[in-house]
Amino acid sequence: MAVAAPLTTSIAQPTLEVRGLRKSYGALEVLHGVDLAVGAREMVFVLGRSGSGKSTMLRCCNRLEEPTSGDIFLEGQPITGRGVNLDKLRRRIGMVFQSFNLYPHLDARRNVTLALRMVLKLGRDEADARALAALEQVGLAAKAASHPAELSGGQQQRVAIARAIALEPAVMLFDEPTSALDPELVGDVLGVMRELKSDGMTMLVVSHEMGFAREAADRIVFMADGRIVEEGPPEQLFTAAKHEATRAFLSRSMRT
């Protein structure tokens, strides 16, 4: 895949930049030339109906899905192409999924230290210290010795977030992080995301949490049929969306 130079955008130095991103599965094209830039310390929410390409775009950003064409840059450096070290890349792009993907036989601390020791090659003491700091950051230091089965779904998701932030990524990707949680547990995870934003973490979030998006996002991107059709500040989209698809989606979502 040829890599072009990053193009000029309204964000002077994007942390994450997507240019002309296309993704096909056989004859089915699900992303049609997506362009997106996420600035440092920015929280960008991606909204859209199921099947609009949101999660596929997110997974292309850390090469869990291989783009068919287009370029992606992390802090100005190309991360598409054959010569990219994917292990090194994924240290810099943290990802949290709707499923927690914790190892059931390991306690919370060891779930976090595993990547620190295997990927960063840290010693036991340093890995433990970083794991405990990350668990403290998500409010779970007291649960460091608990196994996943002893934790609520919300607590398990917070451990998954701790595992990602312990690697000190440049950007965090969230793919429907609350969709598998009971409603009463959603607030704890959103609270952690709010704290990460306050601490200056750069985040790209796919979520249907409309209230949180309106309150916390710096910018909202709306996708339809594999394209970004509209983007802007939350109040602009929620009160004066220009695209018919955006208006219809938000109208339905705010009624449910």
Side-chain angles (χ1 to χ4, degrees):
M1 183 183 302
V3 177
L7 302 179
T8 302
T9 71
S10 58
I11 299 172
Q13 293 181 313
T15 297
L16 181 68
E17 186 173 11
V18 175
R19 286 290 174 183
L21 181 63
R22 293 182 179 271
K23 176 62 181 177
S24 297
Y25 299 98
L28 177 64
E29 188 173 41
V30 296
L31 294 176
H32 304 277
V34 173
D35 294 327
L36 177 66
V38 181
R41 305 173 68 90
E42 189 178 27
M43 177 189 275
V44 176
F45 259 72
V46 185
L47 304 180
R49 297 177 61 183
S50 296
S52 62
K54 309 182 303 296
S55 292
T56 301
M57 179 189 70
L58 212 65
R59 292 170 67 87
C60 284
C61 286
N62 73 347
R63 305 278 301 277
L64 288 175
E65 294 280 0
E66 193 63 28
T68 301
S69 64
D71 301 310
I72 304 172
F73 301 89
L74 179 66
E75 297 180 318
Q77 299 300 310
I79 62 173
T80 40
R82 295 178 181 175
V84 175
N85 183 323
L86 294 182
D87 289 335
K88 185 177 180 180
L89 165 67
R90 290 170 186 152
R91 300 176 206 168
R92 303 293 294 147
I93 302 180
M95 189 156 187
V96 176
F97 304 88
Q98 64 183 54
S99 55
F100 319 127
N101 298 321
L102 300 179
Y103 291 99
H105 62 290
L106 301 180
D107 62 25
R109 176 184 58 82
R110 292 179 66 199
N111 263 284
V112 178
T113 60
L114 188 63
L116 294 171
R117 299 193 68 188
M118 296 188 68
V119 177
L120 298 187
K121 308 299 182 184
L122 300 184
R124 183 186 302 274
D125 290 346
E126 186 177 358
D128 281 349
R130 281 178 63 164
L132 289 173
L135 288 169
E136 176 71 33
Q137 193 170 352
V138 301
L140 286 179
K143 297 290 186 179
S146 298
H147 286 73
E150 301 172 295
L151 302 173
S152 70
Q155 289 171 331
Q156 291 183 60
Q157 189 63 295
R158 286 152 63 192
V159 173
I161 295 172
R163 179 178 57 192
I165 63 176
L167 292 170
E168 299 180 349
V171 61
M172 285 282 290
L173 311 178
F174 290 86
D175 189 7
E176 299 285 4
T178 61
S179 64
L181 301 180
D182 293 333
E184 64 270 19
L185 302 177
V186 169
D188 289 343
V189 173
L190 297 183
V192 169
M193 294 173 67
R194 189 177 288 108
E195 287 296 320
L196 290 177
K197 175 178 169 56
S198 296
D199 291 342
M201 178 64 74
T202 304
M203 290 182 275
L204 183 60
V205 182
V206 169
S207 176
H208 285 88
E209 296 292 340
M210 297 293 119
F212 184 65
R214 188 169 187 172
E215 169 209 344
D218 295 297
R219 182 160 45 103
I220 291 178
V221 169
F222 184 78
M223 291 188 68
D225 300 322
R227 296 177 173 86
I228 293 175
V229 300
E230 188 167 3
E231 62 179 290
E235 283 308 306
Q236 176 183 314
L237 264 72
F238 276 92
T239 63
K242 298 177 181 178
H243 198 283
E244 181 180 352
T246 312
R247 293 195 300 269
F249 174 83
L250 292 175
S251 176
R252 287 193 301 270
S253 299
M254 297 306 287
R255 288 199 303 266
T256 58

